[in-house]
Amino acid sequence: MYRKLLGPGRGDAFLYAEADDGWVAPFVFKDLAESVAYRMLEEDTLCAELSGEILNLWYSAPPDQKWNAVIMTVSGNTFDARFQYAEGWDESEDEADRCNRMVKAKFGDKPITYPTDPL
């Protein structure tokens, strides 16, 4: 699964996903050296598979160890995954705000390109 996140071309992939009972919000970004591209998952067959894997991971955690978010970097044949738990979680933020903060921490001031919706 993690190799599918890389997609075509060189560069690391970065996943930020929040999960809860029956709900998941995955965000995937691709490092393109000079910029970062957001990968639109809603129209991608990877979305259902990725969301299912994230929910399986969340459900497999014991009740007292449920995490709020997973942060993963995929680079070549390796990956690094970290979890965020409820401590320090700001409920006033939504998942897009938290994701933007994580992307900024990962990529700094690199410009981010988002696909445009067809008219």
Side-chain angles (χ1 to χ4, degrees):
M1 166 57 67
Y2 72 89
R3 294 198 34 89
K4 289 181 182 180
L5 290 176
L6 283 173
R10 295 178 178 251
D12 294 351
F14 177 73
L15 164 73
Y16 175 80
E18 295 186 10
D20 204 340
D21 190 16
W23 175 84
V24 63
F27 300 88
V28 177
F29 296 84
K30 176 80 171 184
D31 189 348
L32 303 175
E34 299 299 319
S35 65
V36 176
Y38 172 72
R39 186 164 175 191
M40 192 91 155
L41 293 178
E42 292 82 8
E43 300 172 8
D44 193 325
T45 57
L46 177 62
C47 185
E49 186 178 351
L50 178 62
S51 295
E53 289 296 325
I54 292 166
L55 279 176
N56 287 341
L57 185 62
W58 188 86
Y59 283 122
S60 71
D64 63 337
Q65 295 178 19
K66 294 291 188 201
W67 43 269
N68 293 13
V70 59
I71 303 161
M72 180 187 296
T73 299
V74 181
S75 181
N77 292 324
T78 64
F79 71 92
D80 176 63
R82 298 168 194 261
F83 297 95
Q84 285 188 333
Y85 295 88
E87 305 98 34
W89 194 258
D90 186 352
E91 292 293 335
S92 68
E93 287 183 311
D94 67 18
E95 65 272 6
D97 293 332
R98 287 185 287 268
C99 177
N100 288 336
R101 198 169 12 73
M102 294 295 117
V103 169
K104 176 93 171 149
K106 172 72 176 169
F107 297 110
D109 291 327
K110 282 186 182 181
I112 301 172
T113 56
Y114 293 89
T116 56
D117 291 332
L119 298 176

